[in-house]
Each structure stands twice: as C-alpha cells, then as structure tokens.
C-alpha cells in the first residue's frame, strides 16, 4: 500500500512539472501570440470582419459642435475700435462618415473616397439653426485684402459693385444660412462671369463645401506587407506631395488619413496625419497615459510648435507668409482668401492676439485638441479635434466698406469634431483586448503556481512516504534481531 502511494506522489510530481513547463511556455509565447493576433486583426482586409467594418463605416458616433463669435459692435469696428465678440453655441451636428469606391491593389494598398454628411441635433444644441448672428462678411472684407494691390480706381469700382449687390462689411444671418449657404447676388454674379473664383458654385456658406462631400481620393497601405505602414497615406488625389507651401518638408503628405494608426505604440511615438481641410500634414505628440473604462490609452496633443510661425520654429517657415505664432495661413489653398486657422480662442498662440479682440478666454480643457489611442492596436478611443477659423481684415483705401477698421485677425467661429468608442463596440473591445489577455495572463501564472505547488506538495508527501517506509523497515529489522537474540538465549 505504501509503495502505491509513493507512485501516486511521483505521478503528481510529473504532472506538476508538466503544468509548470506548459505555464512557462505560455508566459514566453503569450506576447508573441498576442502580437500575431493584433497584426492579423489590424491589417485592412475584408476577411477581418470587425476591424474592416470599423474602418469602412466608422460606426463610432461623431459630432461637430460649432461655436460662433457673434459681433457685438460692428459700427464701432468700422470706426476703428477694438472688436467685441460673444461666443454663441454649441450648434451640434451628427457627422456620418462612410467609405466608398474601395479598391484593393496588388501592392498591398487600398484606394477609397470618404463621404461625410451632417445632421443638426437640436437636443444637443443651445439653440436652433434659425438663431440670428452677426459675423464679418468674408466676401467683402476678405476680398478687400486680396485686392489691396490693385489701383485705387479699380478698388473704387469694386466698392461700387459691393453696394450694387447689397453686400456690407458684416453679415446678419441665421445659423443655418451661415453654415450651409445663403443666396447672394454677388456670389451668383461671380459664379456666372468668373467661375472658379469661389470654392463653391452654389450658395455661399462657411461649411457648404463640407456637407454631402468627400475628402478626396486616398490611397493608403493595408499593412499586409508591413504592419508598421498600415493606414499610412501613399497618395491623395493622385499626389504624393502638395504644392500649396514653400518648402518640400511642408508639402510632404505624412502619416495616416487621421482615423487609425499603426499598432504597438510607445511613449516615443507620434501621431502624424494628413488633413485635406487644413491643407497640410499635422503631428500630435504624447502627453500622458491613462484608462478609458478599463482600457489603457495614450493621450496625444498638439505641440506648441504646431502653428508656430517661422521665426519661433524654423521648420514652419515654409507655411509663411506668417503672422503671429499660433496662426496657420491657409490662403494658398483657399483661393488666396486671407483666412487663418488656429486653436480656439487663440489657445497656445502669441498673447498679443488676445489684445486685439474683447471676449476671448483660452484654456486647455475647453480649447486644446487631443486624441486618445489604444497603444497596442493604434485604434482611437476618444477624439476631440478643435480648430478656429479667423479672417484677417483691415482698412483698404478705395473700398469704403472697410471704413476705418484696425488691422486685426478676427475670430469668426471655432468647431470641435468629437467621437468616442462606446456601447457594444466598447464592450467587444474591452473583452478582446482587456479581459481575455488578463484571463490568459492569470491562467499562465496560475498554471506556474499550480505546477510548483503540486511538485512541492507531492515531493514532500513522497519524501514522507519514503521516510515512513525506511522507519518501518528499520523498526522491523530491529524487532526481528531482538526476537532472534531472545530465542538464542
């Protein structure tokens, strides 16, 4: 019976050793298996049903919130006084994104067009699209700056044309008209006799060219040949570089299309992406790590150099002619209109810009932009892109509509495009990328612990059995010897 127990203990030792070895192999091979799974599921491939559907249809709810700077003192501005503005909003629109014309190529790339449309959300807005606001008239004040180089007599004729078409220096229109377009006799005249001068051939609105439109033909890497290149842009509208800017570096099309990035990010990683709306590539930098409902993330933000001028940051010299730091001159890709992009309320910009306008109060929480990325997969969890549209305006001799306007970069509106993973997608994400890896890790180390415990306990039991056998054998021998001696006496 004792020998049987020893064999059983030996069997447990062997089983424990096998469990320990298997657990050790799992610990060593686990990261490799996880890496292979991430690569397999992040390649752009229709066979990857979940990730491909997320890339194609972007099921995450996206919203655009628009804040207008309502002008409080238009008459005083024309007299040379400092502008006073009041932020109105948000006016919130649900953004629908869908890719179409998807074509895969033999060289591990895919081409597509991404279509976008906007739908007003009254329940999320502070008012309705019928709200009336006053902002600078880009058609008049923008054109005045654009035509400043012409002779005074020509400028006077242009000023008469503005009066003929009833176009003044400021617009008082509804939110819907400012956003998506309004009828303008001047716009109709220009589109008829000077086609191509304006970005839109229909009604004139600040976002008229955005709604029911596409962002151009993108060709990107699928990651099939090298996962480090997945989502990176190969070309946009057939171009591998731009022609808007003054240096090859500024004309480069870098990074992804701005929706996903390659996996396996570190704190040294950056988020480069090309934005057709900004007419350039942008790059965000790591700020901190964190968690979103248990999912680990890296937060990336805009560096202060993003919109710095060429004096403060020499690589940006190619985006000039520049004004103060914090302003991106996009006139070269906006029909030479004197339009500048910045962070809202001139956040991270030269403080002098705040001295020219009353009513601005920048802070990082409300006006900084960020993207929260799941570093293992490169999938954004929470996105908030905030940008401001500004008009450079000044007095131009011969164009009486400009009055005595002081030279100023005038904020017109800012908008936030925001989206975050939630609902069933978040639950699936959490299960596959947090729960299952954690369970696997616990099982791996649990198997190692179980194997060690089994070996130790079984070895101890076997040792006790062997000791007991030795003691019993010794006792039996002593007893037998004693009996023999007794009999011999």
């Amino acid at each position: 019976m004792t020998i049987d127990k020893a064999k059983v203990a030996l069997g447990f030792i062997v089983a424990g050793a096998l469990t320990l070895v298997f657990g050790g192999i799992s610990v060593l091979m686990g990261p490799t298996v996880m890496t292979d799974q991430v690569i397999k599921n992040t390649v752009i491939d229709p066979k990857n049903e979940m990730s491909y559907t997320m890339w194609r249809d972007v099921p995450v709810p996206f919203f655009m919130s628009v804040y207008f700077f309502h002008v409080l003192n238009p008459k005083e501005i024309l007299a040379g006084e400092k502008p006073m503005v009041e932020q109105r909003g948000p006016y919130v629109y649900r953004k629908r994104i869908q890719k179409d014309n998807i074509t895969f190529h033999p060289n591990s790339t895919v081409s597509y067009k991404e279509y976008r449309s906007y739908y007003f959300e009254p329940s999320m807005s502070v008012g309705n699209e019928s709200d009336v606001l006053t902002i600078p008239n880009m058609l008049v004040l923008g054109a005045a700056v654009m035509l400043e180089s012409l002779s005074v007599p020509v400028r006077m004729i242009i000023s008469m044309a503005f009066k003929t078409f009833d176009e003044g220096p400021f617009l008082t229109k509804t939110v819907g008209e400012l956003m998506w377009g309004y009828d303008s006799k001047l716009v109709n005249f220009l589109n008829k006799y000077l086609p191509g001068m304006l970005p839109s051939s229909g009604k004139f609105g600040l976002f008229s060219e955005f709604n029911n439109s596409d962002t151009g033909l993108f060709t990107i890497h699928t990651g099939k040949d090298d996962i480090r290149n997945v989502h990176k842009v190969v070309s946009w509208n057939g171009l591998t570089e731009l022609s808007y800017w003054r240096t090859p570096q500024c004309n480069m099309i870098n990074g992804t299309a701005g929706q996903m990035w390659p996996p396996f990010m570190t704190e040294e990683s950056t988020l480069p992406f090309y934005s057709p709306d900004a007419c350039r590539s942008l790059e965000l930098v790591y700020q901190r790590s964190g968690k979103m409902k248990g999912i680990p993330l890296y937060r990336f933000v805009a560096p202060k150099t993003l919109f710095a001028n060429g004096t403060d940051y020499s690589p940006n010299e190619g985006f000039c002619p520049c004004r103060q730091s914090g302003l991106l001159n996009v006139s070269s890709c906006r029909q030479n209109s004197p339009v500048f992009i910045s962070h809202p309320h001139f956040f991270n910009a030269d403080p002098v810009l705040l001295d020219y306008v009353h009513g601005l109060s920048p802070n990082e929480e409300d006006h900084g932009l960020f993207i929260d990325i799941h570093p293992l997969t490169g999938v954004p969890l929470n996105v908030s892109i905030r940008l401001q549209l500004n008009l450079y305006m000044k007095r131009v001799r011969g164009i009486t509509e400009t009055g005595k306007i002081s030279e100023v970069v005038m904020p017109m509106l800012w908008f936030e495009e925001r989206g975050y993973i939630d609902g069933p997608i978040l639950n699936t994400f959490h299960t596959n990328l947090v729960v299952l890896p954690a369970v696997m890790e616990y099982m791996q180390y649990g198997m190692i612990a179980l194997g060690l415990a089994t070996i130790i306990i079984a070895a101890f039991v076997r040792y006790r059995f062997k000791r007991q056998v030795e003691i019993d054998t010794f006792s039996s021998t002593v007893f037998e010897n004693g009996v023999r001696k007794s009999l011999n006496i």
Side-chain angles (χ1 to χ4, degrees), residues 65-69 87-91 412-416:
S65 300
V66 182
Y67 300 81
F68 286 90
F69 290 106
Q87 179 175 291
R88 300 281 180 88
Y91 296 93
M412 298 182 66
L413 62 85
W414 71 271
F415 63 93
E416 175 189 35

Side-chain angles (χ1 to χ4, degrees), residues 247-274:
T247 63
Q249 180 180 354
C250 292
N251 276 318
M252 292 174 67
I253 297 177
N254 295 325
T256 72
Q259 291 177 347
M260 294 184 184
W261 282 265
F264 313 121
M265 290 186 171
T266 68
E267 294 180 6
E268 285 71 42
S269 300
T270 60
L271 288 191
F273 62 98
Y274 172 65

Side-chain angles (χ1 to χ4, degrees), residues 7 57 65 72 117 121 142 169 176 251 261 263 271 275 282 291 295 304 308 334 342 356 362 392-393 455:
K7 287 183 177 180
D57 295 331
S65 300
L72 299 174
S117 51
E121 292 284 350
N251 276 318
W261 282 265
L271 288 191
S275 169
L282 306 170
K291 287 189 176 181
I295 301 174
K304 288 187 177 181
R334 290 288 183 268
S342 69
Y356 297 142
Y392 172 60
M393 59 189 204
I455 291 171

Side-chain angles (χ1 to χ4, degrees), residues 36-62:
D36 289 342
Q37 285 299 310
V38 169
I39 292 174
K40 178 183 175 183
N41 287 291
T42 51
V43 170
I44 302 174
D45 189 334
K47 295 177 182 177
N48 298 334
E49 186 173 347
M50 188 182 83
S51 59
Y52 179 74
T53 302
M54 283 183 64
W55 171 78
R56 184 189 63 196
D57 295 331
V58 190
V60 175
F62 252 90

Side-chain angles (χ1 to χ4, degrees), residues 174-249:
T174 66
V175 169
E177 288 174 320
L178 294 174
M179 286 289 296
W180 311 119
Y182 58 91
D183 287 318
S184 166
K185 295 177 182 178
L186 177 60
V187 171
N188 293 335
F189 175 83
L190 292 175
N191 284 332
K192 183 176 181 180
Y193 294 102
L194 296 171
M197 183 176 178
L198 298 176
S200 175
S201 59
K203 294 182 178 182
F204 184 80
L206 298 173
F207 285 84
S208 58
E209 60 181 305
F210 283 61
N211 202 13
N212 300 316
S213 65
D214 65 83
T215 55
L217 179 65
F218 276 94
T219 299
I220 65 173
H221 289 283
T222 64
K224 202 167 187 178
D225 57 343
D226 187 346
I227 198 62
R228 293 172 296 181
N229 290 329
V230 67
H231 299 294
K232 288 185 178 179
V233 178
V234 177
S235 66
W236 173 73
N237 284 340
L239 302 172
T240 56
E241 60 181 20
L242 306 171
S243 58
Y244 303 129
W245 313 110
R246 297 168 53 192
T247 63
Q249 180 180 354

Side-chain angles (χ1 to χ4, degrees), residues 281-334:
S281 296
L282 306 170
E283 188 170 34
L284 307 188
V285 296
Y286 173 86
Q287 184 191 56
R288 63 174 175 82
S289 61
K291 287 189 176 181
M292 176 180 167
K293 297 186 178 180
I295 301 174
L297 61 82
Y298 284 172
R299 171 158 291 188
F300 291 83
V301 298
K304 288 187 177 181
T305 56
L306 185 65
F307 296 143
N309 61 23
T311 302
D312 291 344
Y313 186 62
S314 57
N316 282 353
E317 181 66 36
F319 295 120
C320 292
C322 299
R323 298 192 63 80
Q324 295 88 350
S325 272
L327 299 172
L328 173 66
N329 186 347
V330 293
S331 59
S332 59
C333 65
R334 290 288 183 268

Side-chain angles (χ1 to χ4, degrees), residues 413-489:
L413 62 85
W414 71 271
F415 63 93
E416 175 189 35
E417 289 206 340
R418 179 160 195 167
Y420 56 91
I421 290 181
D422 202 1
I425 298 174
L426 180 65
N427 295 334
T428 302
F429 211 86
H430 186 268
T431 300
N432 291 339
L433 296 171
V434 177
V435 176
L436 290 180
V439 170
M440 184 183 298
E441 185 176 2
Y442 291 144
M443 288 180 62
Q444 290 167 352
Y445 288 104
M447 291 173 68
I448 291 174
L450 178 63
L452 283 172
T454 302
I455 291 171
I456 292 170
I457 293 172
F460 177 74
V461 170
R462 189 168 187 273
Y463 171 77
R464 290 287 302 271
F465 286 158
K466 288 183 70 176
R467 287 289 297 162
Q468 188 63 48
V469 169
E470 290 174 357
I471 292 170
D472 291 345
T473 303
F474 177 75
S475 299
S476 177
T477 303
V478 170
F479 177 77
E480 290 177 0
N481 290 337
V483 170
R484 290 194 187 98
K485 287 181 181 180
S486 299
L487 292 174
N488 289 335
I489 291 172

